[in-house]
Amino acid sequence: MDPMLFASTNRQAPQVTLAEALLQGQAPDRGLYLPVAIPRFTREDFAALRDRPYPETASTVLKKFTLGTFPNDDLDAMCRRAYDFEVPLEQVDSRRHIMRLDRGPTASFKDFAGRMMGQMFGKLREKAANRLVILTATSGDTGSAVAQAFYRIPNIEVAVLFPPAEVSDRQRKQMTTLGENITPIAVEGKFDDCQALVKQAFADPALRGISLTSANSINIGRLLPQIVYYVYAAARLSEDGDPIIISVPSGNFGNMMGALLALRMGVPIEKIVIATNANDEVPAFFKTGLYKKIVPSRHCLSNAMNVGHPSNLARVLALYGGWMDETGTIRRMPDMNRLKEELWATSVNDEDTRRTIQSAWRENRLLLEPHGAAGWLGLQRYLDEKPDSSVSVSIETAHPAKFPEEIENLLGFSPETPPSLANVEQKQENYMKMPADYKAFQELILDRYGA
Ligand SMILES: *Cc1c(COP(=O)(O)O)cnc(C)c1O
């Protein structure tokens, strides 16, 4: 069987296999990889998933993309290892549901992609002669998810650079209490300094002898695992193949891309509701057809969605026949009619986010944090416009315990901390400290990972 191929949204780079796309991250023409042809589910395929456990659903979905790269038995085992936590799908009332993607090791939905990427990179490097070194700069969430995901994966080393003044105690502890193949580095500076050091390292000829990669948010390996939970939800909620509505709180649009790929695979999805925070560049674009980045991005309560130019938007437009280049300029307009048939976008400000946290608790005893609340209100707004709608599910992307003060202020109690977050509190921390100076960073890399 021929392996699936992936093409760049900028169409100037050669098509590559999954293994190449994973290791490259961004395509050489600075576009983003997408599958050349999206595999489809037959009705029977899909119906068979109705009550399958999460790791099995993951394997069934991912197999369609990993054919020729990972043997099926390996993939089954990888999915079991990656997804050893709960995926609660809660009914709120007769038509509405919440899916909680917050039970992984760092209590955000980023664990779903991170954990699978860890498995995939580990498998690709299993027989390699040298180690692969992942360099990541983080302002908190991504670094802890990457560190937890790649922890103890053979032949992989992770160096995470973080600005100590900008990450929370808990975020730091999720990186610094692991040890082994995870090297956290506190850089005396800001997140931008960390990012600049990482960028310089990738371009440094003196480091050519070391296999470096970034595992960053635009990697196709972050996207494919995010298709799975939509298939999982639709298989359980769809009655006789009737389409469901999905609401996704969105920032960089990686999460909603998972839903869109599921839709294109033939999963019965009637509409994807996209809820942004006050960074409303995409809802405005859907309304007016004019795209304008928001620079700098607006600071909101749902801080993981503070994105003024979503990096996955180029992929979304490509799936509607459009072309957005790496500068964010639309070179060819997408088919806006088809886009609006499938997608519906709305912007939720902080005041409405807070009110939704209160009303969801008061009316339904539904505990939400700011990101999930934006998704929940987005769904309400869509249903208000289309009251006769289908069964729906809104995505909760983080655990409410990550926002204890906000929830305490709004609801008068503090959410219980899940074991994943509580466990790091007692553990011993270990990390390096470094000035924001490239020479020092280069020496550290050569010393730690050089031949
Ligand atoms: C990253 C993140 C989001 C946004 O997801 P995108 O894929 O960037 O749209 C939403 N909620 C939480 C908690 C996140 O960490």
Side-chain angles (χ1 to χ4, degrees):
M1 185 68 89
D2 289 338
M4 169 163 285
L5 290 176
F6 294 79
S8 164
T9 50
N10 279 344
R11 293 169 307 162
Q12 302 298 311
Q15 298 183 354
V16 297
T17 63
L18 178 61
E20 292 165 316
L22 284 172
L23 292 172
Q24 281 177 21
Q26 191 165 35
D29 63 3
R30 308 190 63 205
L32 307 184
Y33 284 118
L34 272 176
V36 170
I38 296 172
R40 304 263 317 168
F41 277 109
T42 63
R43 263 185 102 85
E44 297 75 52
D45 268 352
F46 179 71
L49 289 174
R50 176 129 194 133
D51 44 31
R52 305 320 299 155
Y54 195 88
E56 234 177 90
T57 307
S59 188
T60 306
V61 173
L62 293 173
K63 248 168 224 172
K64 293 178 177 287
F65 296 93
T66 60
L67 224 62
T69 301
F70 302 118
N72 285 349
D73 288 350
D74 286 353
L75 188 70
D76 290 341
M78 289 155 70
C79 289
R80 281 194 300 271
R81 282 195 293 269
Y83 302 117
D84 57 355
F85 50 87
E86 299 288 301
V87 187
L89 185 56
E90 299 169 4
Q91 181 155 19
V92 178
D93 56 27
S94 63
R95 315 296 283 164
R96 297 180 301 170
H97 303 75
I98 278 278
M99 183 159 58
R100 296 193 182 270
L101 304 180
D102 62 357
R103 303 296 153 95
T106 66
S108 97
F109 88 98
K110 294 202 169 61
D111 288 326
F112 283 77
R115 300 272 295 177
M116 196 62 214
M117 253 176 99
Q119 294 295 324
M120 293 195 289
F121 273 70
K123 188 53 76 176
L124 288 176
R125 301 300 291 186
E126 199 174 49
K127 299 191 184 78
N130 63 346
R131 296 173 297 184
L132 180 69
V133 180
I134 296 176
L135 295 185
T136 304
T138 186
S139 53
D141 266 346
T142 303
S144 47
V146 166
Q148 295 278 344
F150 286 89
Y151 177 54
R152 289 191 166 155
I153 302 279
N155 275 332
I156 307 261
E157 292 284 338
V158 177
V160 202
L161 282 70
F162 66 94
E166 291 175 32
V167 307
S168 71
D169 282 0
R170 191 175 271 159
Q171 284 171 330
R172 189 190 64 247
K173 285 179 183 164
Q174 280 179 322
M175 302 185 267
T176 60
T177 56
L178 293 166
E180 302 197 32
N181 63 329
I182 309 298
T183 304
I185 305 167
V187 175
E188 290 156 23
K190 293 173 166 304
F191 169 64
D192 294 341
D193 298 313
C194 300
Q195 204 162 29
L197 291 174
V198 168
K199 272 201 176 143
Q200 206 171 338
F202 283 122
D204 184 354
L207 301 181
R208 283 281 152 74
I210 303 170
S211 304
L212 297 177
T213 189
S214 71
N216 64 11
S217 64
I218 47 122
N219 198 298
I220 188 74
R222 291 274 289 261
L223 228 50
L224 301 179
Q226 293 175 179
I227 301 170
V228 175
Y229 39 79
Y230 296 108
V231 180
Y232 179 82
R236 280 168 167 66
L237 299 179
S238 159
E239 290 148 20
D240 304 323
D242 285 348
I244 66 164
I245 299 162
I246 287 168
S247 182
V248 191
S250 296
N252 259 324
F253 282 52
N255 200 358
M256 70 70 66
M257 262 302 296
L260 182 51
L261 287 169
L263 186 157
R264 292 299 172 84
M265 291 176 80
V267 172
I269 296 170
E270 172 182 310
K271 196 69 109 181
I272 300 167
V273 174
I274 299 161
T276 69
N277 59 24
N279 291 282
D280 63 349
E281 65 281 354
V282 175
F285 168 64
F286 285 10
K287 197 175 273 174
T288 63
L290 295 172
Y291 181 69
K292 203 163 171 298
K293 301 180 201 182
I294 295 177
V295 189
S297 60
R298 295 175 185 143
H299 195 83
C300 305
L301 204 54
S302 46
N303 56 347
M305 302 184 345
N306 292 340
V307 180
H309 172 50
S311 50
N312 277 293
L313 193 56
R315 283 187 169 119
V316 177
L317 300 194
L319 288 183
Y320 294 97
W323 175 23
M324 172 179 268
D325 71 16
E326 68 281 358
T327 68
T329 305
I330 298 181
R331 306 278 284 267
R332 191 177 60 237
M333 273 301 278
D335 178 345
M336 292 302 278
N337 291 329
R338 184 169 182 209
L339 182 146
K340 287 185 202 170
E341 270 167 31
E342 294 176 347
L343 311 179
W344 191 88
T346 188
S347 153
V348 176
N349 65 24
D350 279 356
E351 196 190 329
D352 288 339
T353 302
R354 290 196 172 96
R355 258 198 230 128
T356 303
I357 292 176
Q358 289 176 317
S359 62
W361 180 252
R362 201 174 50 235
E363 290 161 21
N364 302 102
R365 281 295 177 263
L366 175 63
L367 183 58
L368 299 173
E369 54 70 59
H371 305 82
W376 188 244
L377 182 61
L379 177 62
Q380 300 327 301
R381 287 182 183 165
Y382 177 73
L383 295 177
D384 287 346
E385 219 168 81
K386 227 177 148 276
D388 58 336
S389 287
S390 317
V391 169
S392 58
V393 59
S394 189
I395 307 302
E396 179 49 289
T397 50
H399 196 285
K402 289 188 134 179
F403 298 85
E405 293 92 16
E406 196 63 42
I407 306 272
E408 171 89 54
N409 282 342
L410 293 168
L411 304 181
F413 64 88
S414 183
E416 205 175 313
T417 308
S420 59
L421 297 180
N423 284 345
V424 294
E425 295 302 328
Q426 317 306 332
K427 289 191 189 150
Q428 177 69 39
E429 286 192 79
N430 260 311
Y431 58 98
M432 299 178 132
K433 295 191 185 106
M434 204 187 73
D437 164 54
Y438 185 69
K439 261 284 141 303
F441 185 48
Q442 187 197 48
E443 253 169 53
L444 187 153
I445 299 273
L446 284 169
D447 183 49
R448 208 165 167 85
Y449 307 119

